[in-house]
Amino acid sequence: MARFGMVIDTTKCVGCMDCVVACKTENQVPEGYNRDWIVQDVQGKFPTVEMEIRSERCNQCSNPPCVSCCPTGASHIHEIGGVVLVTKDECIGCKACVASCPYDARFIHPDGYADKCTFCIHRVEKGLDPACVSVCPTHCMYFGDLDDPNSNVSQLLRSRKHHSLMPEAGTQPNIFYLT
Amino acid sequence: MNSVSRRKFLKISGATIGVAAAGTALLKTTQALSNKAAKGVQTIPTYCDICFWKCGAIAYVNDGKLWKVEGNPLDPLSNGRLCPRGTGGVGAHYDPDRLKAPLIRKKNRGEEQWVEVTWDEAMTYIAEKMQKIKSQYGPEGVALFSHGIGGNFFKHTMKAFGTPNISAPSFAQCRGPRDVGFRLTFGEDVSSPERTDIKNAQCLVLIGSHLGENMHNSQVQEFADAVGDGSTVIVVDPRYSVAASKAKYYLPIKPGTDLALLLAWMNVIVSEGLYDKEYVQNYGFGFEQFAATLQQYTPEWAYPETGIDPDVIRQTAREMERYKPATLVHPGRHVTWYGDDAQRSRAIALLNALLGSWGRKGGFYTPVSMDVPAYPYPEYPKSEKGKVDNPDHKYPFAHETITNGIREATITGKPYPIKGWFVYATNLMHALPNENETIKAIQNLDLMVVIDVIPSEIAGWADVVLPESVYLERFDDLNVEWFREPFVGLRQPVVDSPDDQKPNWWMAKKLAEKLGLGHYYPWKHIEEYYEHRLSAAGLSYKELKKNGIIRGAKQPIYFDEGVPAEFPTPSGKIEFYSLQLQEAGFDPVPKYKRPTSGPPGSFRLLYGRAPVHSFSRTQSNHILMDMMNENEVWVNAEIAARLGLKSGDYVRLKNQDGVVCNKVKVKATERIRPDCVYMVHGFGHNSRMLKFAYMKGASDAQLLTRYEVDPLMGGTGMNMNFVTIESEVA
Ligand code: SF4
Ligand code: SF4
Ligand code: SF4
């Protein structure tokens, strides 16, 4: 079975937020909310500074606490690509998943249900890249099947240094950052 | 001065593509679209206007409602990917604070009290005032300030009316010094989009230019390509910019001393014999004299000025040499910093000349364009008085009109009075330094017209405000761009305007008709104008309308590919030593002058761009404001600690003249020097009509009361202001 993931090249990302804007327009994310965001990780003292810029979102974890804690089964793992999704109509807005996510990736949509990045499954099922990936002006984001050794994402992970976010949380995140 | 702008750039005839001209029958079916009835998703190509880059875009309309905008893969500027502002462009259409109907002032100027009028009333009012100014002062008494391609038709109407006073802040408040510095050296401008071959540069030097935050799409895409390819990046900036985080060398220079660094770099390159000798020999003029003046500028000399270690200066100079001619010392864009900007830009040009990068792959390419003839309008009347902005050629190397020169003439009435201003799509209150001078000038006017999509501060000072349709709702002039490869782009309406807004071409044409100048618009609808120009070029309007872009065949763009190595300077060569500067009483080789320092305890105020905003024109776009809804003042972390400030605290900045800005959040950061503070430009709106943007963040422009005029070309150096930080009691 496919395991969808993203590989994001932090050496090229300029933190422009195009990925954030694209997600908003593609998915009609309401004003004041967003499914992805930018982190500028600054280390050191001026002028000996280093900065890693990351486009972050739900890590589409293979061991997602937000799914195991959901009392209604609204949060679930989709049969295609292992994407973590929420069935709106089954969600009671109890916020258990929001609290359980170590990445703070979820929010309660003004319409009352838990919302977050869907890996743009509606696009992926049509053979398109997620909106954020397809818009990025620096071409620093890659989307693909991590279980397929020949996919671009698998190849990048084999050839480049990378890390993921809070692997120690045991969530098995599927987004990787090239450094 | 000889005017050589682009004259020698290659012109590519559209006819080479072999497309037959379209028939005019097409016109009947292609009047403004209405998608209200349409069901499902429709896609319509157009080009973006959130900034002036003009990226090709594809707009998606869902059930008649504007949904999203993506890049047009056919477009060489965007390569199918817009920048964040372009992606957020839909927010401009939905902006609730947009201007909706023509307005005429009913109280004092600046009080923002209006009556709504019809288009006919507005145009009649304007035309009558213009005729009165013309009869009293001559047509030259009316001036136009304009920004972007949307101003083209108003320029046409103004020229037909008889005024040569047509200006844009993009010259004297932005890229002018750069283009002057490069003209003096190579005989040609850097032009826009910049002819910088970033993607092929193996070594890229950025001086204050913060690509990635400054989001000129093609440049940022190419910058990321260069970084991805492992090019050596050298960044010179008092602030650790995003670009600095990609750099092999980050040089945290003392603000205002870039010219000292440039001279020291050239000293190393010349004294160590690292320059491209064959190139300099073949194309250079006055190299010996130039080299002699450089001797004094050793890295040791530059060290106390710049704070950059002499070893680092040598190392980076050698690094540049290593990759020459594919070393690009980027000329920047907004370079009106210290008033010696044309000479600093000339030093950048000279450094590139030493590295042999002008005309070479990885340096500066020669832009190409389609040959789409201009519309054959009747000849414009000739002005007897000439332009008002630059009396007696005080600024001998200004090759465009100086905005602040017009402002000055409006205040003093010299060399002759200016009594009418048209301001198209540029918020002069944020674009020009020292807003009091702008207000003073406006108080002398008999007519002040602002044409814009949003009620920016300058609109508040108008007598008449004309609401324009946003770019997604209008046709605009053809974009016949000078770029890496020839192409033409079309802007066309995707959705209807929500209220009584009109496109600029319609307004400019109506106004001309009211002025009795209707014969300057021999076409009824702009599509007729397109048809005429495109068929003269052998291109099909039908194809352009369908695809948004027509591309021409690739052409040579480097000397090595056969572009003739011509330099339209007086000597016909690259002028290392400039006799024309010498004759005009200026330094033939740039000389460094230490910048003035501020009062003790003050910080130099620097400003720049954020990737999600364009100047002061996007702060009422709700999507972009969701990304960044106020600016921050960057303060060095140690300084902040000393002042008892932490990130998120609100402060006010007070400049040397006692001007205090709106409250602004502190960003305490390791990413800036201790002797300066930094803000993103464009925030702190105080136009009450901009309800959503009102008083969000602070305006850097308000604090720019001092400026230093560039003696070569009249540009306003604006990094001349110093502020203290006052905490804001919550
Ligand atoms: S669009 Fe690309 S470059 Fe811009 S912030 Fe997102 S990932 Fe980074
Ligand atoms: S994959 Fe789609 S939903 Fe997720 S952050 Fe990107 S654009 Fe948003
Ligand atoms: S650079 Fe961005 S804002 Fe400017 S035209 Fe291109 S997409 Fe639009």
Side-chain angles (χ1 to χ4, degrees), chain B residues 383-536:
Chain B
S383 161
E384 277 157 32
K385 293 185 187 160
K387 291 197 299 172
V388 80
D389 63 306
N390 192 7
D392 306 323
H393 292 282
K394 185 167 161 204
Y395 304 109
F397 299 99
H399 59 272
E400 290 184 32
T401 309
I402 304 164
T403 39
N404 38 302
I406 295 183
R407 180 174 74 176
E408 179 77 22
T410 311
I411 295 172
T412 61
K414 298 209 174 78
Y416 58 79
I418 294 291
K419 290 290 172 187
W421 278 17
F422 275 74
V423 184
Y424 175 82
T426 171
N427 184 7
L428 292 184
M429 301 311 286
H430 281 233
L432 297 177
N434 197 323
E435 63 177 26
N436 281 338
E437 286 181 48
T438 307
I439 292 168
K440 210 166 150 192
I442 292 170
Q443 301 297 19
N444 280 350
L445 296 173
D446 294 341
L447 173 67
M448 164 77 172
V449 182
V450 167
I451 307 111
D452 215 328
V453 294
I454 56 164
S456 59
E457 283 67 31
I458 194 69
W461 291 92
D463 303 335
V464 188
V465 182
L466 302 178
E468 191 180 14
S469 312
V470 308
Y471 69 105
L472 294 161
E473 305 155 3
R474 71 180 197 235
F475 286 108
D476 239 315
D477 205 354
L478 294 171
N479 183 25
V480 186
E481 197 60 283
W482 290 87
F483 195 55
R484 287 181 173 279
E485 52 188 287
F487 72 94
V488 189
L490 175 71
R491 179 173 289 154
Q492 60 181 325
V494 171
V495 283
D496 292 336
S497 291
D499 307 286
D500 201 9
Q501 299 92 349
K502 296 283 183 197
N504 59 67
W505 67 267
W506 182 93
M507 295 184 234
K509 182 173 176 351
K510 270 276 163 303
L511 179 61
E513 284 160 6
K514 282 274 177 208
L515 291 165
L517 301 167
H519 54 289
Y520 280 92
Y521 286 86
W523 38 270
K524 278 202 187 60
H525 189 275
I526 191 169
E527 291 194 292
E528 255 175 66
Y529 161 91
Y530 296 153
E531 283 278 5
H532 196 288
R533 287 188 64 193
L534 291 167
S535 51

Side-chain angles (χ1 to χ4, degrees), chain B residues 48-55 82-87 215-217 614:
Chain B
C48 182
D49 189 43
I50 302 294
C51 85
F52 49 80
W53 207 256
K54 305 187 281 279
C55 296
L82 300 179
C83 89
R85 297 163 300 166
T87 305
M215 215 46 217
H216 300 145
N217 198 352
S614 290

Side-chain angles (χ1 to χ4, degrees), chain B residues 541-555:
Chain B
Y541 177 50
K542 198 170 156 202
E543 184 192 341
L544 185 59
K545 196 168 167 63
K546 182 162 155 271
N547 297 330
I549 299 280
I550 296 179
R551 287 168 87 138
K554 286 214 170 168
Q555 300 294 327

